[in-house]
């Protein structure tokens, strides 16, 4: 399963590609914030538990909803068109009872928390840990983001959308 020609393969005589990793959480004052913004190793984030049943054949894809089944997950692509000045994308500022693993596939998107904002570009990985946040696309092109959402215990005041 490990292909030595893969850019993520590591050996003594090969360099591992690094990607930018942005991780949100609550700061010392209980406010949503970017806690980590820097290079990532091969694994951007890991959790210890998620038993998944892979035995079925049903197509479980469909339209997006913030509702998350207990212990469940979702895998989706999100298109963020350019945002008019002064506005936010999609649901606006919100929080979820999920941990979300996102990768910017193309374009740029601004991640906004209670304590600041950071511009995320193609190849950047974001770990959103259920905190209050919003998105804005200041660019001229639609930004495409891949996202995996996994059920999680609430942080702060919990989800603003269910």
């Amino acid at each position: 399963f490990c292909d030595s020609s893969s850019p993520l393969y590591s050996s003594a005589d090969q360099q591992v590609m690094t990607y930018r990793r942005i991780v949100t959480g609550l700061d010392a004052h209980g406010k949503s914030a970017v806690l980590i913004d820097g290079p990532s190793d091969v694994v951007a984030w890991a959790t210890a538990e998620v038993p998944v049943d892979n035995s079925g054949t049903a197509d479980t894809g469909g339209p997006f909803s913030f509702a998350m089944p207990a212990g469940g997950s979702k895998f989706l692509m999100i298109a963020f068109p350019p945002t008019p000045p002064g506005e936010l994308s999609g649901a606006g500022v919100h929080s979820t009872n999920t941990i979300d693993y996102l990768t910017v596939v193309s374009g740029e998107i601004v991640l906004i928390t209670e304590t600041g904002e950071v511009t995320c570009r193609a190849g950047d990985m974001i770990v959103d840990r259920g905190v209050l946040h919003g998105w804005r696309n200041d660019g001229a092109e639609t930004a495409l983001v891949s996202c995996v959402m996994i059920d999680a215990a609430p942080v702060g005041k919990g989800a603003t959308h269910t």
Side-chain angles (χ1 to χ4, degrees):
F1 296 130
C2 203
D3 175 6
S4 63
S5 66
S6 165
L8 297 180
Y9 180 80
S10 177
S11 72
D13 57 2
Q14 286 185 320
Q15 280 195 329
V16 174
M17 287 183 69
T18 58
Y19 297 92
R20 181 176 176 211
R21 175 181 60 148
I22 299 134
V23 180
T24 66
L26 298 179
D27 67 12
H29 306 287
K31 298 286 187 188
S32 65
V34 172
L35 301 181
I36 301 169
D37 184 351
S40 176
D41 205 334
V42 173
V43 176
W45 197 262
T47 58
E49 300 175 72
V50 177
V52 175
D53 180 359
N54 286 328
S55 63
T57 59
D59 181 353
T60 59
F64 178 75
S65 159
F66 279 104
M68 178 66 65
S73 67
K74 295 181 181 182
F75 177 44
L76 55 144
M77 293 292 280
I78 307 165
F80 291 98
T83 310
E87 293 184 23
L88 295 178
S89 298
V93 174
H94 64 284
S95 60
T96 59
N97 294 338
T98 61
I99 185 167
D100 302 342
Y101 301 121
L102 305 102
T103 302
V104 180
V105 176
S106 64
E108 294 184 1
I109 190 82
V110 179
L111 168 63
I112 300 138
T113 67
E114 293 174 286
T115 60
E117 57 185 56
V118 61
T119 299
C120 307
R121 295 175 178 83
D124 290 349
M125 298 182 293
I126 303 113
V127 180
D128 179 30
R129 299 172 56 212
V131 300
L132 198 60
H133 68 284
W135 301 99
R136 186 180 69 237
N137 181 347
D138 293 336
E141 298 177 12
T142 295
L144 185 60
V145 177
S146 172
C147 178
V148 175
M149 302 175 73
I150 301 171
D151 184 39
V155 295
K157 297 178 181 175
T160 56
H161 293 287
T162 54

